[in-house]
Amino acid sequence: MENCIINYFKKLNTEIDNRQAKAFVTYKNLLVQYNKVMNLTGITGDKEVMIKHFADSVTALNIADFKNKSVIDVGTGAGFPGLPLKIAEPSIKLTLLDSLTKRLNFLEDVCRSIGVDAEFVHGRAEDLGKDEYFREKFDIAVSRAVAPLNVLAEFDLPYVKAGGLMIALKGPAAYDEIKGAENAVTELGGEIMKVEEVALPETDLKHTLVVIKKIKNTPEKYPRRAKKIERNPL
């Protein structure tokens, strides 16, 4: 599987070596193992995991400079996209944030097994976004399959320092979300900088990467409580 991963990533303009490829294989094996006792993913086949999780995640490397950047993955779940990005670009200073301890325990086991350093943070995005230890401290915030873009912006942008980026990995129908999120992004101090549709080689799968630049600090009243965000999204 290592050679398959290396060759597939080359088609995505991402070079990895044998050590990194082995790390992805270990990640996949632990994902399948843990998935038997907890709900991490509905995708467990070797090729499907490689394409729909790993390759899908690392496409973000082609639209932004992640080298030596501090990156927070908000609502990381099974580690996507943050951990594949870290494996492919080891210089990333990675923080994985999730509301479930058992998912973070899984990710700690993966990182320990593959020799990757990361910070594991248990909590809700809307709470820690007000914590001065995390607020506006990161170069990049990333999220995949967490919430509609207008809601996601309120979760993610408070973590990003002025001049930094929020990158949302979305499906092919992201454009309706983008239109509906313009006011929220502006209110939260951001500006939609780039929208790029990506096709995964050897498949008919497409996804959309939404890049938002943080142009000014987020007003202190954001993020709001989760119920307010859900009932009255910006």
Side-chain angles (χ1 to χ4, degrees):
M1 189 177 177
E2 287 94 335
N3 287 336
C4 184
I5 291 173
I6 290 169
N7 292 331
Y8 196 89
F9 277 25
K10 280 182 181 177
K11 296 176 182 179
L12 295 170
N13 300 314
T14 300
E15 297 281 343
I16 61 171
D17 59 25
N18 287 329
R19 180 188 58 79
Q20 290 165 300
K22 287 179 181 178
F24 277 113
V25 172
T26 299
Y27 188 178
K28 186 273 300 180
N29 289 340
L30 287 168
L31 177 69
V32 172
Q33 177 185 324
Y34 271 81
N35 202 58
K36 293 176 182 177
V37 294
M38 57 187 288
N39 182 26
L40 290 169
T41 178
I43 298 168
T44 56
D46 287 358
K47 188 170 183 180
E48 279 192 307
V49 170
M50 180 186 72
I51 293 172
K52 295 182 180 179
H53 287 324
F54 297 159
D56 183 75
S57 295
V58 303
T59 53
L61 293 175
N62 291 324
I63 63 164
D65 179 14
F66 280 80
K67 194 172 181 64
N68 295 314
K69 296 294 193 297
S70 56
V71 177
I72 184 168
D73 184 350
V74 180
T76 186
F80 310 123
L83 191 46
L85 288 168
K86 170 70 175 179
I87 297 171
E89 178 47 74
S91 70
I92 287 172
K93 302 172 186 70
L94 179 64
T95 297
L96 297 169
L97 168 63
D98 201 83
S99 61
L100 287 184
T101 302
K102 62 182 181 180
R103 289 198 288 245
L104 292 172
N105 290 340
F106 158 70
L107 292 170
E108 286 192 64
D109 193 8
V110 174
C111 289
R112 185 167 50 247
S113 298
I114 64 179
V116 163
D117 292 326
E119 180 182 20
F120 306 93
V121 178
H122 174 247
R124 299 184 65 85
E126 66 274 15
D127 294 333
L128 295 177
K130 285 184 172 291
D131 187 322
E132 63 180 23
Y133 179 82
F134 299 103
R135 188 177 178 88
E136 296 183 331
K137 293 296 195 301
F138 295 89
D139 298 309
I140 302 174
V142 294
S143 288
R144 175 178 181 257
V146 171
L149 190 59
N150 60 336
V151 172
L152 185 63
E154 189 165 352
F155 289 149
D156 283 20
L157 278 172
Y159 292 95
V160 181
K161 62 180 69 170
L165 300 175
M166 169 189 160
I167 301 176
L169 283 71
K170 289 289 183 179
Y175 292 94
D176 288 340
E177 284 190 36
I178 292 166
K179 288 180 182 177
E182 289 175 353
N183 289 338
V185 169
T186 299
E187 172 69 14
L188 294 160
E191 179 178 72
I192 296 175
M193 187 174 82
K194 184 189 302 185
V195 179
E196 188 164 322
E197 195 171 88
V198 178
L200 297 177
E202 300 178 21
T203 76
D204 58 358
L205 300 173
K206 291 184 178 180
H207 72 203
T208 305
L209 294 160
V210 183
V211 182
I212 297 169
K213 185 167 185 178
K214 184 78 170 281
I215 58 175
K216 61 182 180 180
N217 291 341
T218 299
E220 289 185 7
K221 63 181 177 179
Y222 301 116
R224 297 166 294 163
R225 293 291 184 184
K227 288 184 179 179
K228 286 188 177 180
I229 296 173
E230 291 168 6
R231 285 199 305 259
N232 187 28
L234 295 174

